[in-house]
Amino acid sequence: DWSGAAVAAADGIREVVSGSYSSGSGFFWVLIIGVVGVGAVIFFVVRSRRNKAGTRPAPVEEVPTAELERQAGIALVRADDAVRTSEQELSFAVAQYGTDATTPFRGSIDTAKGKLTEAFTLKQQLDDHIEDTEQQVRDWNGRIIALCDEADDALDAQAESFAQLRAIEEKAPETLATIRTEVASASGRVPGTSQRLEAARARLAPSALEPVSDNVREAEGLIAFANERFTEADAGIAAQRGGEAAVAIRAAETAGDQATSLLDAVDRHLEQLGTAEQTIPGLLSDIDADIAAARARGERGGDLAAAVAAAETVVTEVRAAQSSGAPSDPIAMLDRLTSASASIDAATAEVRAADEAARRATSLLGSVLVSARAKVSAAEDFISSRRGTITEEARTRLASAGQALVRAEELGATAPAAALEQAQ
């Protein structure tokens, strides 16, 4: 009874907005997840009519470049939203009807995701620092629109079969039991995750935990919301109101999934912080070696000297922070050290390139000087023996060549690349 579910959800939201819903603490989640639930039901009805409505944009060749870029951006957002919504619908269908019945739709979603990935790759190329020609901008934005249309088409291909799947006899009691188990599992994780987060707060700076600092509290709110929806689902099933039960189950599932994701994020972030802490000592040793190697190359000015000085400052500050015992942010430390190391590597590479260029110039300079001396000498001899017939133009060229030869010989010992240029 999906039409009934949509109506029941709309009625529920209207009650919340009008203030007649008794549980004020659940207002925010009812409003947000309720709207998502209704939108998900309506999504496939709208999708099945999209192509029939003739809403596709004009041919790419007829669209100005700026408008084409705008259409490509809109198409990306819509296609991404469509894939995300489809995945949410699929997860509910799998929980309710099983994996086998939803396999064709999973294939369509995977196809759409592949198209979307290619489209995002093209968008990244358009947004990078490399300047693109207008033709490239048009071609790539046109391709993005085409890929997004193909992604939509892949989802449309299974829209009808998915609608038929929705018509299968509802298995509300079984689905409700499954979702209850999942939410209970998330609830059981809360104490342990909370303890680990509090232990981390005692030794890490607030900035290190900022991305997940509120996750446990938010997960608890979502779990409480899911439990309220379970009560509504039980009442709906008992009263044989399938639409109300379905909306409540779906809202509970969404809340449970979000709670699990929040708890997973805490565990993942704490693990990443631990990895960063373990990585820092080795990186410090690597930078020490880089600094020593740079100094071994002799006194250098410019970028290498600046990079070495900056790296030494960062290393000193990081070691001081570690030894102080004060709460720290391992990821921020790692970022500073990584940046310092990359700067030394880049500056060292430039020095090495310059050294190699000087070596090659020195190797070639001797041969070029032999040729240059011979040519200048021959020209001088030629002019000296024919002074009466040689004009000022040839004499000017010879004077210039002689000056360049002198400069090449003077620079040979200290600036072989510049000497080679003069000799040539």
Side-chain angles (χ1 to χ4, degrees), residues 92-125:
F92 179 65
V94 169
Q96 188 170 9
Y97 301 118
T99 303
D100 292 343
T102 56
T103 297
F105 195 69
R106 163 49 64 192
S108 296
I109 291 176
D110 289 342
T111 298
K113 288 173 71 175
K115 302 290 184 182
L116 194 59
T117 297
E118 185 179 346
F120 275 125
T121 300
L122 288 172
K123 179 59 175 171
Q124 177 63 27
Q125 289 179 243

CSV table of all heavy atoms in Angstrom, one decimal, residues 92-125:
chain,number,residue,atom,x,y,z
A,92,PHE,N,16.4,-1.0,1.2
A,92,PHE,CA,15.1,-1.3,1.8
A,92,PHE,C,14.5,-2.5,1.2
A,92,PHE,O,14.0,-3.4,1.8
A,92,PHE,CB,14.2,-0.1,1.8
A,92,PHE,CG,12.8,-0.4,2.4
A,92,PHE,CD1,12.7,-0.6,3.8
A,92,PHE,CD2,11.7,-0.4,1.6
A,92,PHE,CE1,11.5,-0.9,4.3
A,92,PHE,CE2,10.5,-0.6,2.2
A,92,PHE,CZ,10.4,-0.9,3.6
A,93,ALA,N,14.5,-2.6,-0.2
A,93,ALA,CA,13.9,-3.7,-0.9
A,93,ALA,C,14.6,-5.0,-0.6
A,93,ALA,O,14.0,-6.0,-0.4
A,93,ALA,CB,14.0,-3.4,-2.4
A,94,VAL,N,16.0,-4.9,-0.5
A,94,VAL,CA,16.7,-6.1,-0.1
A,94,VAL,C,16.3,-6.6,1.3
A,94,VAL,O,16.1,-7.8,1.5
A,94,VAL,CB,18.3,-5.9,-0.2
A,94,VAL,CG1,19.0,-7.0,0.5
A,94,VAL,CG2,18.7,-5.7,-1.6
A,95,ALA,N,16.2,-5.7,2.2
A,95,ALA,CA,15.8,-6.1,3.6
A,95,ALA,C,14.4,-6.7,3.6
A,95,ALA,O,14.1,-7.6,4.4
A,95,ALA,CB,15.9,-4.9,4.5
A,96,GLN,N,13.5,-6.2,2.7
A,96,GLN,CA,12.2,-6.7,2.7
A,96,GLN,C,11.9,-7.9,1.8
A,96,GLN,O,11.2,-8.8,2.2
A,96,GLN,CB,11.2,-5.5,2.2
A,96,GLN,CG,9.8,-5.9,2.4
A,96,GLN,CD,8.9,-4.6,2.2
A,96,GLN,OE1,9.4,-3.6,1.8
A,96,GLN,NE2,7.6,-4.7,2.5
A,97,TYR,N,12.6,-7.9,0.6
A,97,TYR,CA,12.2,-9.0,-0.3
A,97,TYR,C,13.4,-9.9,-0.6
A,97,TYR,O,13.2,-10.9,-1.3
A,97,TYR,CB,11.8,-8.3,-1.6
A,97,TYR,CG,10.6,-7.5,-1.5
A,97,TYR,CD1,10.6,-6.1,-1.7
A,97,TYR,CD2,9.4,-8.0,-1.0
A,97,TYR,CE1,9.5,-5.3,-1.6
A,97,TYR,CE2,8.2,-7.1,-0.9
A,97,TYR,CZ,8.3,-5.8,-1.1
A,97,TYR,OH,7.2,-5.0,-1.0
A,98,GLY,N,14.6,-9.6,-0.2
A,98,GLY,CA,15.7,-10.5,-0.4
A,98,GLY,C,16.6,-10.1,-1.6
A,98,GLY,O,16.2,-9.3,-2.4
A,99,THR,N,17.8,-10.6,-1.6
A,99,THR,CA,18.8,-10.2,-2.6
A,99,THR,C,18.4,-10.6,-4.1
A,99,THR,O,18.5,-9.8,-5.0
A,99,THR,CB,20.1,-10.7,-2.3
A,99,THR,OG1,20.5,-10.3,-1.0
A,99,THR,CG2,21.2,-10.3,-3.3
A,100,ASP,N,17.9,-11.8,-4.2
A,100,ASP,CA,17.6,-12.3,-5.6
A,100,ASP,C,16.6,-11.5,-6.3
A,100,ASP,O,16.8,-11.2,-7.5
A,100,ASP,CB,17.1,-13.8,-5.5
A,100,ASP,CG,18.2,-14.7,-5.0
A,100,ASP,OD1,19.4,-14.4,-5.0
A,100,ASP,OD2,17.8,-15.9,-4.6
A,101,ALA,N,15.6,-11.0,-5.7
A,101,ALA,CA,14.5,-10.3,-6.3
A,101,ALA,C,15.0,-8.9,-6.8
A,101,ALA,O,14.5,-8.3,-7.7
A,101,ALA,CB,13.3,-10.1,-5.4
A,102,THR,N,16.1,-8.4,-6.1
A,102,THR,CA,16.6,-7.0,-6.4
A,102,THR,C,17.8,-7.0,-7.2
A,102,THR,O,18.4,-6.0,-7.5
A,102,THR,CB,16.8,-6.3,-5.1
A,102,THR,OG1,17.7,-7.0,-4.3
A,102,THR,CG2,15.5,-6.1,-4.4
A,103,THR,N,18.3,-8.2,-7.7
A,103,THR,CA,19.6,-8.3,-8.5
A,103,THR,C,19.5,-7.4,-9.7
A,103,THR,O,20.5,-6.7,-10.0
A,103,THR,CB,19.9,-9.7,-8.8
A,103,THR,OG1,20.1,-10.5,-7.6
A,103,THR,CG2,21.1,-9.8,-9.7
A,104,PRO,N,18.4,-7.5,-10.5
A,104,PRO,CA,18.5,-6.6,-11.8
A,104,PRO,C,18.6,-5.1,-11.4
A,104,PRO,O,19.3,-4.4,-12.2
A,104,PRO,CB,17.1,-6.9,-12.4
A,104,PRO,CG,16.7,-8.3,-11.9
A,104,PRO,CD,17.2,-8.3,-10.5
A,105,PHE,N,17.9,-4.7,-10.4
A,105,PHE,CA,18.0,-3.3,-10.1
A,105,PHE,C,19.4,-2.9,-9.6
A,105,PHE,O,19.9,-1.8,-9.8
A,105,PHE,CB,17.0,-2.9,-9.0
A,105,PHE,CG,16.8,-1.4,-8.9
A,105,PHE,CD1,16.2,-0.7,-9.9
A,105,PHE,CD2,17.2,-0.7,-7.8
A,105,PHE,CE1,16.0,0.7,-9.8
A,105,PHE,CE2,17.1,0.7,-7.7
A,105,PHE,CZ,16.4,1.3,-8.7
A,106,ARG,N,20.1,-3.8,-8.8
A,106,ARG,CA,21.5,-3.6,-8.4
A,106,ARG,C,22.4,-3.4,-9.6
A,106,ARG,O,23.2,-2.6,-9.7
A,106,ARG,CB,21.9,-4.8,-7.5
A,106,ARG,CG,23.4,-4.9,-7.3
A,106,ARG,CD,24.1,-3.6,-6.9
A,106,ARG,NE,23.7,-3.1,-5.6
A,106,ARG,CZ,24.0,-1.9,-5.2
A,106,ARG,NH1,24.7,-1.1,-5.9
A,106,ARG,NH2,23.6,-1.5,-4.0
A,107,GLY,N,22.1,-4.3,-10.7
A,107,GLY,CA,22.9,-4.1,-11.9
A,107,GLY,C,22.7,-2.8,-12.5
A,107,GLY,O,23.7,-2.2,-13.0
A,108,SER,N,21.5,-2.3,-12.5
A,108,SER,CA,21.2,-1.0,-13.1
A,108,SER,C,21.9,0.1,-12.3
A,108,SER,O,22.4,1.1,-12.9
A,108,SER,CB,19.7,-0.7,-13.2
A,108,SER,OG,19.1,-1.7,-14.0
A,109,ILE,N,21.9,0.0,-11.0
A,109,ILE,CA,22.5,1.0,-10.2
A,109,ILE,C,24.0,1.0,-10.4
A,109,ILE,O,24.7,2.1,-10.5
A,109,ILE,CB,22.2,0.8,-8.7
A,109,ILE,CG1,20.7,1.1,-8.4
A,109,ILE,CG2,23.1,1.7,-7.8
A,109,ILE,CD1,20.3,0.8,-7.0
A,110,ASP,N,24.6,-0.1,-10.5
A,110,ASP,CA,26.1,-0.2,-10.8
A,110,ASP,C,26.4,0.4,-12.1
A,110,ASP,O,27.4,1.1,-12.2
A,110,ASP,CB,26.5,-1.7,-10.7
A,110,ASP,CG,26.5,-2.3,-9.3
A,110,ASP,OD1,26.5,-1.5,-8.4
A,110,ASP,OD2,26.5,-3.5,-9.2
A,111,THR,N,25.6,0.2,-13.1
A,111,THR,CA,25.8,0.8,-14.4
A,111,THR,C,25.7,2.3,-14.3
A,111,THR,O,26.6,3.0,-14.9
A,111,THR,CB,24.8,0.3,-15.4
A,111,THR,OG1,24.9,-1.1,-15.6
A,111,THR,CG2,25.0,0.9,-16.8
A,112,ALA,N,24.7,2.8,-13.7
A,112,ALA,CA,24.5,4.2,-13.5
A,112,ALA,C,25.7,4.8,-12.7
A,112,ALA,O,26.2,5.9,-13.1
A,112,ALA,CB,23.2,4.5,-12.8
A,113,LYS,N,26.2,4.1,-11.7
A,113,LYS,CA,27.4,4.6,-10.9
A,113,LYS,C,28.6,4.7,-11.8
A,113,LYS,O,29.4,5.6,-11.7
A,113,LYS,CB,27.6,3.7,-9.7
A,113,LYS,CG,26.5,3.9,-8.6
A,113,LYS,CD,26.7,2.9,-7.5
A,113,LYS,CE,27.9,3.2,-6.7
A,113,LYS,NZ,28.0,2.3,-5.5
A,114,GLY,N,28.8,3.7,-12.7
A,114,GLY,CA,29.9,3.8,-13.6
A,114,GLY,C,29.9,5.0,-14.5
A,114,GLY,O,30.9,5.7,-14.7
A,115,LYS,N,28.7,5.3,-15.0
A,115,LYS,CA,28.5,6.5,-15.9
A,115,LYS,C,28.8,7.7,-15.1
A,115,LYS,O,29.5,8.7,-15.5
A,115,LYS,CB,27.1,6.5,-16.4
A,115,LYS,CG,26.7,5.3,-17.2
A,115,LYS,CD,27.4,5.3,-18.6
A,115,LYS,CE,26.9,4.1,-19.4
A,115,LYS,NZ,27.6,4.0,-20.7
A,116,LEU,N,28.3,7.8,-13.8
A,116,LEU,CA,28.5,8.9,-13.0
A,116,LEU,C,29.9,9.2,-12.6
A,116,LEU,O,30.4,10.3,-12.6
A,116,LEU,CB,27.6,8.8,-11.7
A,116,LEU,CG,27.4,10.0,-10.9
A,116,LEU,CD1,26.7,11.1,-11.7
A,116,LEU,CD2,26.5,9.7,-9.7
A,117,THR,N,30.7,8.1,-12.4
A,117,THR,CA,32.1,8.2,-12.1
A,117,THR,C,32.8,8.8,-13.2
A,117,THR,O,33.7,9.7,-13.0
A,117,THR,CB,32.7,6.8,-11.8
A,117,THR,OG1,32.0,6.3,-10.6
A,117,THR,CG2,34.2,6.9,-11.5
A,118,GLU,N,32.5,8.4,-14.4
A,118,GLU,CA,33.2,9.0,-15.6
A,118,GLU,C,32.8,10.5,-15.8
A,118,GLU,O,33.7,11.3,-16.1
A,118,GLU,CB,32.8,8.2,-16.9
A,118,GLU,CG,33.5,8.7,-18.1
A,118,GLU,CD,33.1,7.9,-19.4
A,118,GLU,OE1,32.4,6.9,-19.2
A,118,GLU,OE2,33.4,8.4,-20.5
A,119,ALA,N,31.6,10.8,-15.5
A,119,ALA,CA,31.2,12.2,-15.6
A,119,ALA,C,31.9,13.1,-14.6
A,119,ALA,O,32.3,14.2,-14.9
A,119,ALA,CB,29.6,12.3,-15.4
A,120,PHE,N,32.0,12.6,-13.3
A,120,PHE,CA,32.7,13.3,-12.3
A,120,PHE,C,34.2,13.5,-12.6
A,120,PHE,O,34.8,14.5,-12.3
A,120,PHE,CB,32.6,12.7,-10.9
A,120,PHE,CG,31.3,13.0,-10.2
A,120,PHE,CD1,30.4,12.1,-9.8
A,120,PHE,CD2,31.0,14.4,-10.0
A,120,PHE,CE1,29.3,12.4,-9.1
A,120,PHE,CE2,29.9,14.7,-9.3
A,120,PHE,CZ,29.0,13.8,-8.9
A,121,THR,N,34.8,12.5,-13.3
A,121,THR,CA,36.2,12.6,-13.7
A,121,THR,C,36.4,13.7,-14.7
A,121,THR,O,37.3,14.5,-14.6
A,121,THR,CB,36.7,11.2,-14.3
A,121,THR,OG1,36.5,10.2,-13.3
A,121,THR,CG2,38.1,11.3,-14.8
A,122,LEU,N,35.4,13.8,-15.7
A,122,LEU,CA,35.5,14.9,-16.7
A,122,LEU,C,35.3,16.2,-16.0
A,122,LEU,O,36.0,17.2,-16.3
A,122,LEU,CB,34.4,14.7,-17.7
A,122,LEU,CG,34.6,13.5,-18.7
A,122,LEU,CD1,33.4,13.3,-19.6
A,122,LEU,CD2,35.9,13.8,-19.6
A,123,LYS,N,34.4,16.3,-15.0
A,123,LYS,CA,34.2,17.6,-14.3
A,123,LYS,C,35.4,18.0,-13.5
A,123,LYS,O,35.8,19.2,-13.5
A,123,LYS,CB,33.0,17.4,-13.3
A,123,LYS,CG,32.7,18.7,-12.5
A,123,LYS,CD,32.4,19.9,-13.4
A,123,LYS,CE,31.9,21.0,-12.5
A,123,LYS,NZ,31.8,22.3,-13.3
A,124,GLN,N,36.1,17.0,-12.9
A,124,GLN,CA,37.4,17.3,-12.3
A,124,GLN,C,38.4,17.9,-13.2
A,124,GLN,O,39.2,18.8,-12.9
A,124,GLN,CB,37.9,16.0,-11.6
A,124,GLN,CG,39.3,16.2,-10.9
A,124,GLN,CD,39.2,17.2,-9.7
A,124,GLN,OE1,38.1,17.4,-9.1
A,124,GLN,NE2,40.3,17.9,-9.4
A,125,GLN,N,38.5,17.3,-14.4
A,125,GLN,CA,39.4,17.8,-15.4
A,125,GLN,C,39.1,19.3,-15.8
A,125,GLN,O,40.0,20.1,-16.0
A,125,GLN,CB,39.4,17.0,-16.7
A,125,GLN,CG,40.0,15.6,-16.5
A,125,GLN,CD,40.0,14.7,-17.7
A,125,GLN,OE1,39.4,13.7,-17.8
A,125,GLN,NE2,40.6,15.2,-18.8
